[in-house]
Amino acid sequence: MIEVRSRLEGQTFQLYDLEQTLKPLGYDIGGNWDYDHGFFDYKIDSEVGYQFLRIPFTSEDGQLDARNTTVKLGTPFLLSHKYQIGLDDHVHIGNFSASFDQFQEPVDKDATFPKRYIDLGKALVKELEAELLD
């Protein structure tokens, strides 16, 4: 994980408006949220896993699934998830769990981030600052 210092840290936005701005730029919340916090992810590449720019946020006034929720942005960071090649020996079998455990477990949830994408990640943060703050 590589933190990218940014003017976005500590800024607050309406979650709905933020989502409407970030989705067309390629960001997605997906399953990366809980009731009080979440992440916007931008997939940079999928080289032997996935490389992301991740923008964390926390709820300032209630749960994220409520209307008009305000969120505060945290420090953006670059993250790499590496997945094992082949079959996953640790997938849990069963009708209920199969709907959740259908993908491989990461070999390394915090793998080394490829150096060639660091400048791209920093440029993406600058682009977000210009879009959201200027």
Side-chain angles (χ1 to χ4, degrees):
M1 179 180 84
I2 299 170
E3 287 189 343
V4 180
R5 304 307 278 174
S6 170
R7 294 185 296 138
L8 296 171
E9 296 171 45
Q11 298 292 325
T12 58
F13 300 91
Q14 291 288 313
L15 179 58
Y16 177 81
D17 296 337
L18 189 59
E19 209 171 352
Q20 296 306 305
T21 301
L22 296 184
K23 278 188 174 186
L25 297 175
Y27 291 83
D28 186 27
I29 292 179
N32 291 323
W33 67 277
D34 203 340
Y35 290 102
D36 63 346
H37 69 279
F39 304 95
F40 280 100
D41 284 344
Y42 182 93
K43 185 163 76 170
I44 294 173
D45 195 23
S46 56
E47 176 186 309
V48 191
Y50 298 101
Q51 289 73 47
F52 294 101
L53 167 61
R54 183 164 274 182
I55 313 297
F57 60 88
T58 56
S59 174
E60 287 290 289
D61 57 4
Q63 296 184 350
L64 295 179
D65 59 350
R67 291 179 58 95
N68 301 319
T69 299
T70 302
V71 296
K72 181 194 287 188
L73 298 183
T75 304
F77 58 94
L78 301 170
L79 179 69
S80 200
H81 284 289
K82 288 193 178 178
Y83 292 88
Q84 60 184 318
I85 298 171
L87 297 176
D88 185 354
D89 297 332
H90 302 290
V91 172
H92 306 287
I93 305 299
N95 289 340
F96 181 74
S97 65
S99 62
F100 297 102
D101 274 343
Q102 56 186 320
F103 302 105
Q104 294 181 340
E105 289 290 321
V107 169
D108 188 351
K109 292 181 182 180
D110 194 16
T112 302
F113 195 84
K115 288 183 180 6
R116 68 182 172 276
Y117 296 129
I118 293 173
D119 287 339
L120 174 59
K122 290 177 180 179
L124 288 167
V125 170
K126 293 291 181 199
E127 177 184 277
L128 272 182
E129 289 174 345
E131 185 72 32
L132 296 173
L133 302 177
D134 297 336

